[in-house]
Amino acid sequence: MIELENPEERDALAAEFVLGTLSEEDDAAFASAVAEDRALQAAVYAWQDRLLALAARVPPASPEPVLWQRIELAVNAATLPDPPAPAPRPWWERLPIWQGLSAAAFSAAVLFGVLLVQRPEAPLAGARYVAVLHSPDGQRAGWVVELDADRLRLAPTGETGPVPAGRSLQFWTKPQDAQGPTSLGLVRAGQALELPLSRLPGVGPQQLFEITLEPEGGSTIGRPTGPILFVGRSVAL
């Protein structure tokens, strides 16, 4: 059973939730808690940002063939009776956290490698940023935002779900020091979008990007009115 009263334990659980190392029961319980707790959501987003920054330092790599043998052994071992549960340990001694950090760094590095291979142009001067937009519960990534010297590209990473009739997807951004979000226009489900950077109020690290569900044609009051479907913050490459 997960314990959410201790601040250190909450942060450790957020890390394991992002890494996918929680048990099925604990993962479901934490996801339910995240949906109602903004502080937990902030902890999840913070860990996503930390892992993306770490992954940017790791070169892409391919798994060794022996990995599949280890997976097969693990699957076979899963059919054996479970051994007695060990006594609980402090969160900082949990080896899966550190193993998970390496796994997450590898996965994100592979994603960055694919994105770079798909962009064959010459290296650009100045900083480049990327933001992976996740569902609010952190369970799935739906979009990737890339920013370079002169443009922003928003691309879907998988199935983003249907848009209800009479509703629209709207894309927003908010730099760290901005007073409020700025609309970057409407988005079609499953379709990429490119914009000149001149459309943005600013570009920098930890910049918020989100996609909300709005009335057809978009929000009429200059700020989001519907639920957040996907959200994330930028990190420098």
Side-chain angles (χ1 to χ4, degrees):
M1 185 67 179
I2 62 174
E3 175 57 60
L4 296 176
E5 298 301 323
N6 185 292
E8 290 186 348
E9 187 70 13
R10 285 165 62 93
D11 190 61
L13 288 168
E16 293 192 72
F17 181 70
V18 172
L19 296 170
T21 58
L22 290 175
S23 68
E24 183 176 352
E25 179 181 358
D26 287 350
D27 186 82
F30 191 86
S32 177
V34 165
E36 304 295 334
D37 189 327
R38 290 188 176 276
L40 276 184
Q41 292 174 16
V44 168
Y45 297 151
W47 272 107
Q48 291 170 349
D49 293 343
R50 291 179 204 173
L51 294 177
L52 286 173
L54 174 64
R57 303 173 180 267
V58 181
S62 297
E64 297 181 0
V66 71
L67 175 61
W68 298 113
Q69 299 175 12
R70 293 172 59 190
I71 292 174
E72 184 177 0
L73 290 173
V75 171
N76 292 336
T79 63
L80 300 176
D82 293 333
R89 292 176 296 165
W91 70 267
W92 57 84
E93 295 181 4
R94 294 179 188 169
L95 181 59
I97 291 182
W98 312 113
Q99 293 174 329
L101 283 172
S102 297
F106 165 74
S107 300
V110 170
L111 170 61
F112 295 150
V114 170
L115 292 174
L116 293 176
V117 168
Q118 293 175 343
R119 302 273 306 279
E121 59 264 32
L124 295 163
R128 295 175 60 191
Y129 298 92
V130 65
V132 180
L133 308 190
H134 288 79
S135 54
D137 61 8
Q139 290 293 296
R140 61 192 178 96
W143 302 80
V144 172
V145 179
E146 296 178 82
L147 302 105
D148 57 27
D150 57 9
R151 70 165 184 168
L152 173 151
R153 175 177 168 80
L154 172 70
T157 62
E159 178 57 49
T160 57
V163 179
R167 306 298 292 273
S168 295
L169 302 180
Q170 193 159 358
F171 186 32
W172 306 84
T173 189
K174 180 181 178 295
Q176 278 194 298
D177 298 330
Q179 294 298 312
T182 297
S183 173
L184 298 179
L186 301 183
V187 176
R188 292 184 179 275
Q191 295 187 18
L193 173 70
E194 289 192 11
L195 299 170
L197 288 192
S198 58
R199 287 278 304 275
L200 277 68
V203 175
Q206 297 298 305
Q207 182 164 342
L208 179 71
F209 290 92
E210 65 183 24
I211 293 177
T212 61
L213 185 64
E214 300 293 339
E216 188 170 15
S219 171
T220 60
I221 61 174
R223 63 178 183 271
T225 62
I228 297 173
L229 302 183
F230 296 95
V231 63
R233 291 185 181 274
S234 64
V235 294
L237 291 178

